[in-house]
């Protein structure tokens, strides 16, 4: 399928997802969260927008709270996200991020990453909502998931600090959102891992990272169900991704693999 067909299909599917996203939003603006408190000097602000999905929050928040000298702010919907919030953010984490990618927020994200060094972790279906400008910026366009099924994580990049030394593992059940790279020859982009659906055999990229100016972006598309976040290998990948995106040395993972059956 050529790029034009891919783009047309993506546009149609994104329209359907947009309708679903709109249907899931609170009916009244009065229900929206308020903006986060001002960031304290010397503290790393982690801002997460994850679409009121507390399964995902239960996976992400414990990892982020292990980052030293940081505070964690969670938004249940996209409406509190403004250019000011983005400019006060050191690490942006997005999941089911709805309509936050308007012209002003898109410009603030690109500027904050490229010129201020903000890190950005794009979780699961983020590329479906960002729009083409940000997809080009993060280096990947999303493919809609196929059957929800067990997914084997492999082809882990042993040359990159996010995945070096991580052994293959299986996620018991997930939506296998894949991506195709905007520019496979981009010298600033690295593929981190691929996955294979254990029922249909579908193989796709699900992890990548890219340097953009002073900032770093990591795309990790597993993560729809609780099973993904209970996998300690994936927790460690996410832990490393957060530190790498913040341009910090990556400390040892705080978890343990003592009870993991390889």
């Amino acid at each position: 399928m050529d790029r034009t067909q891919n783009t047309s299909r993506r546009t149609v599917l994104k329209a359907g997802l947009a309708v679903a996203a709109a249907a899931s939003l609170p009916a009244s603006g009065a229900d929206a969260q308020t903006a986060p408190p001002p960031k304290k000097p010397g503290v790393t602000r982690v801002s997460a927008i994850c679409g009121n999905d507390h399964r995902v929050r239960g996976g992400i928040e414990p990892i982020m709270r292990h980052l030293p000298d940081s505070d964690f702010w969670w938004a249940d919907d996209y409406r509190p996200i403004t250019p000011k919030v983005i400019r006060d953010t050191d690490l942006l984490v997005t999941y089911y991020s709805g309509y936050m990618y308007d012209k002003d927020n898109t410009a603030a994200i690109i500027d904050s990453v490229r010129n201020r060094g903000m890190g950005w972790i794009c979780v699961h279906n983020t590329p479906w909502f960002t729009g083409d400008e940000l997809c080009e910026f993060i280096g990947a366009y999303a493919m809609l998931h196929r059957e929800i099924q067990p997914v084997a994580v492999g082809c882990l990049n042993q040359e990159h600090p996010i995945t070096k030394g991580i052994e293959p593992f299986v996620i018991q059940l997930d939506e296998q959102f894949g991506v195709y790279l905007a520019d496979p020859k981009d010298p600033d982009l690295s593929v981190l891992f691929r996955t294979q659906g254990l029922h249909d055999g579908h193989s796709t990229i699900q992890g990548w990272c890219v340097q953009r100016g002073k900032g770093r972006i990591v795309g990790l598309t597993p993560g729809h169900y609780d099973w993904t976040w209970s996998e300690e290998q994936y927790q460690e990948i996410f832990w490393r991704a957060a530190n790498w995106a913040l341009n910090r040395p990556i400390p040892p993972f705080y978890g343990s693999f003592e009870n993991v059956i390889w």
Side-chain angles (χ1 to χ4, degrees):
M1 183 180 290
D2 64 26
R3 178 64 177 273
T4 302
Q5 290 173 309
N6 267 326
T7 302
S8 299
R9 182 172 182 269
R10 186 175 69 251
T11 300
V12 171
L13 290 170
K14 284 173 70 175
L17 284 173
V19 171
S24 69
L25 294 175
S28 170
D31 296 327
Q33 284 181 274
T34 58
K39 186 177 75 169
K40 298 177 181 178
V43 172
T44 298
R45 166 62 55 82
V46 180
S47 298
I49 164 65
C50 297
N52 200 25
D53 193 324
H54 293 279
R55 295 172 303 178
V56 177
R57 179 174 183 171
I60 292 174
E61 184 171 4
I63 301 171
M64 297 297 97
R65 289 202 182 279
H66 277 84
L67 293 171
D69 301 319
S70 65
D71 66 31
F72 179 86
W73 177 74
W74 174 276
D76 280 341
D77 68 75
Y78 69 94
R79 285 171 290 183
I81 307 298
T82 64
K84 182 181 185 305
V85 170
I86 294 166
R87 287 193 293 267
D88 280 344
T89 294
D90 300 296
L91 179 62
L92 180 66
V93 182
T94 56
Y95 172 67
Y96 206 97
S97 40
Y99 300 104
M100 65 173 274
Y101 305 103
D102 59 22
K103 180 179 179 181
D104 292 338
N105 282 347
T106 294
I109 290 171
I110 292 174
D111 178 67
S112 292
V113 172
R114 192 183 297 280
N115 298 317
R116 190 168 55 78
M118 182 181 77
W120 184 11
I121 303 181
C122 303
V123 184
H124 196 49
N125 56 10
T126 292
W128 272 94
F129 297 98
T130 56
D132 287 352
E133 182 178 8
L134 283 175
C135 280
E136 292 287 334
F137 189 63
I138 67 178
Y141 286 87
M143 304 176 193
L144 185 62
H145 68 85
R146 299 190 182 190
E147 175 190 355
I148 296 172
Q149 60 189 308
V151 177
V153 180
C155 299
L156 291 129
N157 186 342
Q158 297 301 308
E159 303 299 320
H160 199 282
I162 293 177
T163 43
K164 184 176 182 179
I166 302 287
E167 298 188 34
F169 60 98
V170 174
I171 298 169
Q172 296 303 313
L173 197 65
D174 206 358
E175 289 182 340
Q176 191 193 18
F177 264 100
V179 299
Y180 64 91
L181 302 180
D183 179 4
K185 296 182 179 179
D186 185 342
D188 296 319
L189 185 145
S190 298
V191 174
L192 296 175
F193 58 85
R194 298 182 64 92
T195 65
Q196 183 172 22
L198 296 187
H199 289 173
D200 64 14
H202 178 60
S203 177
T204 185
I205 295 169
Q206 282 206 279
W208 75 98
C209 61
V210 65
Q211 182 89 32
R212 292 292 187 242
K214 294 181 180 180
R216 292 173 167 183
I217 302 167
V218 183
L220 299 172
T221 65
H224 185 76
Y225 288 111
D226 306 60
W227 288 277
T228 307
W229 299 102
S230 67
E231 294 293 338
E232 291 195 36
Q233 296 95 325
Y234 194 62
Q235 293 174 18
E236 180 163 7
I237 288 172
F238 209 91
W239 165 253
R240 293 184 186 186
N243 284 280
W244 184 85
L246 286 166
N247 203 12
R248 295 177 171 180
I250 301 176
F253 180 53
Y254 59 86
S256 168
F257 296 125
E258 290 181 359
N259 297 317
V260 172
I261 300 174
W262 295 94

